[in-house]
């Protein structure tokens, strides 16, 4: 598989007319890309759902910039707003009553919008942006790439000691390490953005409906539809929602309506499926895949003298009505050996992301649990071989 | 019609299952919004095209972040790239051979991407951004809203005299005044971005295939599908295309795939229609609407002692093989009287955008020619009444 410059092996030239399963043709020489979290492993479920999720759009549909001018977020399609609220009610992971919904081109664009909304051009100094390490590597890039005078990346929230206003991003469950998190800095001048991309039942027990000022979610990680680029923010304060909408207006004049109505349809089917037969319950399906992968990975890692994986507390999930384990989207592999594990794994034809990118040590690597089945199998084989070598102290 | 805070009267809650014509119910008291260029007036053509433009998307389609990892713009759906190239060949408005295509969430996001790509974090000072007045009001907002240290809005290109590197945006035909434009500053350190949103046969004669380093186009103004938020850049230099792609990756991890494949389909139908019967030629259809509106508007304005409209040279259009007039998307109305015409028109329940927003005098106003038919009729009635009053020197 060529084209690894862009960092992917599980490419699909998806076409709406061909809906065949992803073909992977990995050989012992193939590089396996476990860098990104491309959630195509959930595709078979949506194929099985057939016509229920099929969307038909006529040539004359959705032509206007506007969706609902009575809404602060005037480009939000009303059916998407409704589907989002219904799904949160079914899952019980977030409070939506009296919240403003702002839709974005993925939750990525919404984080940028939140930084814009929570900073003030009138302030002499940029507002500090922090997140507790290990933090999602994208936040730093987003905060720094335009050299904005509105906000400034200050890194790890644990060591943050600057005076003045700050924004803390709380990622829960956390990317990269899957931990359930609370705010760390806890000062009066602080504003919080909760990135809840992974607070869905396939990844973690749903212990309560969260009720924070700004909560970000994304279609990509909820259902696996990353290509649609749909995220949403639940926002308590009207003025913050208005400024986030303004960010979206200036930077892209709104968000794809085709993606919005498709997300509305699929989130609707997802919500319905939760109430009916198990075979149509997406969260059961996706949970079972991740659970099996985590069991297999833990079985491989437990033989190692140097590698370890985080342990997650079992917790009662209000959604399933059972005690459940966490099965995060990424494995945060730690090694006792003081080695740059990203480089070492690459020698073994495994692409993972170094702990350094997340404000941690290179003894950590983040590994996507989302790869196509064949790639995941090959990864476990190669990791087993590495572990056999390290146990014999023959690291090659 | 309420909800004018967000500045629109021609709202449509489009639904893919209801494809009824836009209903407007204007009364003599209704505010008419001619501020935005919401191109819903082209909707009837696409309705008439029926199934040819219908898009069907299955639940399992388009799930990956990736479209073509062998392409610099790895999230560009190949069928959209192909459709863009075919259409430019048919219309003859831009050279596409050996060009990199970067897709964006509208050309709005692509302008931001171009600013990022053409500036350098290594430079001590931000690169100057200029455009010849009257310039599109959005450029200033886009350059200033994040207080970027990479680039700085310096306003009118005609009066720009700072040393050092600069970026000039050349909008042709120009928004707001419809003029065909060339670069103004013409210095060695300059980089040019051509915003060619309106360089299509319904608006202006196509006199040559343009061949500039960075050329921006948008689906919104080409076919009227503003809700899809699809724009594209034709980029000569690989490194610039790579940096524009990087901007898109950091700010939104790509662009809606649903919108991309819909744009591919509709641009394909558009291109095919140009070769066949007149009734299926979108450019003929949209040209005839705009031509009729311009004739009616000029008929009203010619009675005025104070108002005037720009005159455009007739030119030979290579696409139609005829001499043609320009019929811009906006009317750039000028008044001899030293009055803030945006405010004055608002008293007459017409919302237009002041010349001041475009770096010009408030004696100018920009008026969208894209309003629904009923709104356009009412606008002409009201403008006639204003002109009758101003001719009698009784401005109310």
């Amino acid at each position: 598989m060529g084209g690894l410059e862009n960092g992917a092996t599980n490419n699909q030239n998806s076409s709406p007319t061909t809906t065949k399963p992803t073909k992977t043709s990995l050989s012992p020489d193939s590089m396996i890309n476990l860098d990104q979290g491309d959630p195509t492993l959930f595709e078979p479920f949506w194929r099985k759902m057939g016509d229920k999720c099929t969307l038909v759009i006529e040539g004359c549909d959705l032509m206007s910039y506007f969706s609902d001018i009575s809404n602060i977020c005037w480009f939000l399609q009303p059916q998407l707003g409704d589907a989002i609220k219904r799904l949160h009610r079914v899952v019980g992971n977030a409070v939506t009553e009296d919240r403003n919904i702002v839709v974005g081109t993925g939750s990525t664009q919404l984080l940028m919008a939140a930084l814009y909304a929570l900073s003030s051009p009138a302030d002499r100094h940029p507002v500090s942006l922090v997140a507790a390490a290990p933090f999602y590597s994208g936040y730093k890039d987003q905060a720094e790439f335009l050299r904005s005078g509105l906000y400034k990346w200050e890194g790890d929230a644990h060591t943050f000691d600057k005076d003045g206003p700050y924004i803390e991003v709380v990622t829960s469950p956390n990317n990269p390490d899957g931990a359930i998190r609370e705010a760390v800095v806890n000062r009066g001048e602080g504003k919080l953005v909760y990135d809840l991309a992974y607070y869905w039942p396939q990844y973690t027990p749903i212990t309560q409906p969260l009720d924070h000022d700004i909560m970000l979610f994304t279609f990509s990680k909820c259902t696996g539809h990353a290509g649609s680029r749909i995220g949403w923010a639940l926002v308590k304060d009207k003025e913050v929602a208005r400024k986030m909408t303004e960010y979206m207006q200036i930077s892209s004049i709104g968000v794809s309506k085709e993606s919005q109505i498709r997300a509305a349809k699929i989130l609707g089917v997802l919500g319905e499926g939760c109430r009916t037969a198990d075979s149509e319950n997406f969260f059961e399906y996706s949970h079972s895949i991740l659970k099996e992968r985590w069991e297999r990975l833990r079985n491989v890692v437990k033989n190692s003298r140097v590698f370890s994986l985080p342990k997650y507390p079992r917790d009662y999930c209000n959604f399933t009505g059972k005690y459940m384990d966490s099965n995060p989207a990424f494995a945060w592999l730690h090694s006792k050996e003081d080695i740059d594990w990203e480089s070492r794994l690459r020698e073994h034809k495994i692409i993972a992301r170094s702990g350094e990118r997340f404000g941690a040590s290179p003894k950590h690597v983040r590994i996507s649990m989302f790869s196509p089945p064949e790639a995941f199998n090959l990864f476990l084989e190669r990791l087993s071989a590495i572990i056999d070598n390290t146990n014999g102290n023959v690291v090659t």
Side-chain angles (χ1 to χ4, degrees), chain A:
Chain A
M1 283 215 172
L4 279 165
E5 301 76 28
N6 284 309
T9 58
N10 49 354
N11 174 43
Q12 299 171 265
N13 288 333
S14 297
S15 147
T17 50
T18 60
T19 56
K20 287 174 201 147
T22 314
K23 253 188 18 189
T24 55
S25 52
L26 296 173
S27 75
D29 287 338
S30 296
M31 197 63 105
I32 309 170
N33 190 331
L34 306 174
D35 182 46
Q36 288 100 358
D38 198 27
T40 53
L41 80 164
F42 300 145
E43 208 181 274
F45 179 88
W46 298 110
R47 178 169 302 110
K48 198 180 64 181
M49 297 306 282
D51 284 352
K52 273 190 195 171
C53 295
T54 302
L55 183 70
V56 179
I57 311 177
E58 308 292 331
C60 56
D61 288 333
L62 309 170
M63 289 184 68
S64 175
Y65 287 105
F66 303 99
S67 297
D68 177 4
I69 55 166
S70 68
N71 195 331
I72 290 176
C73 186
W74 50 265
F75 48 80
L76 170 66
Q77 289 290 116
Q79 64 266 57
L80 178 57
D82 294 344
I84 286 167
K85 285 185 177 175
R86 269 199 310 274
L87 184 64
H88 283 302
R89 273 199 298 272
V90 170
V91 174
N93 59 345
V95 173
T96 60
E97 282 74 33
D98 302 321
R99 295 299 178 280
N100 303 282
I101 299 179
V102 181
V103 64
T105 309
S107 56
T108 301
Q109 196 187 22
L110 289 165
L111 182 73
M112 299 286 295
L115 298 183
Y116 174 71
L118 297 178
S119 59
S120 166
D123 286 352
R124 271 185 57 209
H125 299 290
V127 61
S128 298
L129 176 68
V130 297
F135 42 71
Y136 171 50
S137 50
Y139 300 146
K140 182 177 188 292
D141 295 340
Q142 288 192 272
E144 292 187 335
F145 82 130
L146 295 179
R147 294 195 7 203
S148 171
L150 297 178
Y151 40 79
K152 184 165 187 290
W153 174 250
E154 294 285 356
D156 189 358
H158 292 295
T159 56
F160 176 67
D161 59 1
K162 270 200 175 172
D163 286 335
Y166 69 91
I167 301 169
E168 181 177 348
V169 190
V170 182
T171 316
S172 183
N174 191 38
N175 173 0
D177 69 356
I180 297 298
R181 287 199 158 180
E182 299 287 345
V184 164
V185 182
N186 296 313
R187 283 205 321 248
E189 322 102 300
K191 288 168 182 165
L192 301 176
V193 179
Y194 276 77
D195 182 343
L196 303 175
Y198 301 97
Y199 192 48
W200 296 103
Q202 68 267 53
Y203 305 114
T204 195
I206 303 300
T207 55
Q208 59 176 322
L210 293 177
D211 185 19
H212 301 292
D213 288 352
I214 303 180
M215 300 188 281
L216 308 184
F217 290 91
T218 168
F219 192 38
S220 305
K221 308 305 180 186
C222 172
T223 66
H225 290 83
S228 304
R229 313 307 311 121
I230 289 292
W232 62 93
L234 304 177
V235 183
K236 263 188 202 171
D237 185 79
K238 269 199 163 59
E239 182 55 23
V240 172
R242 197 197 57 71
K243 276 201 76 180
M244 289 179 73
T245 300
E246 184 176 273
Y247 174 90
M248 231 64 76
Q249 180 171 342
I250 298 175
S251 65
S252 62
I253 321 186
V255 174
S256 160
K257 304 233 183 304
E258 290 85 349
S259 287
Q260 288 192 57
I261 58 166
R262 183 158 182 247
K265 181 145 205 164
I266 289 172
L267 293 180
V269 171
L270 170 55
E272 278 306 304
C274 294
R275 303 173 200 254
T276 56
D278 285 358
S279 68
E280 299 204 344
N281 187 324
F282 171 74
F283 291 126
E284 288 235 357
Y285 172 90
S286 46
H287 177 260
S288 70
I289 293 180
L290 288 168
K291 184 172 148 65
E292 192 233 349
R293 287 191 170 194
W294 271 96
E295 282 169 1
R296 291 173 61 201
L297 176 62
R298 288 194 189 277
N299 264 329
V300 168
V301 170
K302 79 175 180 204
N303 298 320
S304 171
R305 289 183 205 148
V306 296
F307 284 117
S308 62
L309 286 166
K311 289 193 175 54
Y312 305 105
R314 260 177 101 76
D315 217 328
Y316 187 77
C317 176
N318 291 327
F319 173 72
T320 58
K322 296 181 215 165
Y323 276 87
M324 309 278 283
D325 288 314
S326 280
N327 297 291
F330 298 100
W332 184 237
L333 197 62
H334 175 256
S335 160
K336 278 186 211 161
E337 287 189 300
D338 203 2
I339 287 174
D340 175 345
W341 275 99
E342 180 185 307
S343 305
R344 182 57 58 85
L345 289 180
R346 199 174 274 262
E347 291 166 17
H348 291 269
K349 299 190 181 298
I350 298 167
I351 302 176
R353 199 174 292 184
S354 171
E356 280 188 310
R357 296 281 308 281
F358 303 93
S361 114
K363 291 157 77 174
H364 281 98
V365 277
R366 190 194 76 168
I367 287 164
S368 169
M369 297 295 279
F370 276 167
S371 59
E374 206 186 336
F376 188 73
N377 295 341
L378 203 52
F379 159 63
L380 290 186
E381 274 177 36
R382 289 178 188 176
L383 185 65
S384 288
I386 294 167
I387 285 171
D388 285 349
N389 275 338
T390 52
N391 284 347
N393 290 323
V394 192
V395 183
T396 56

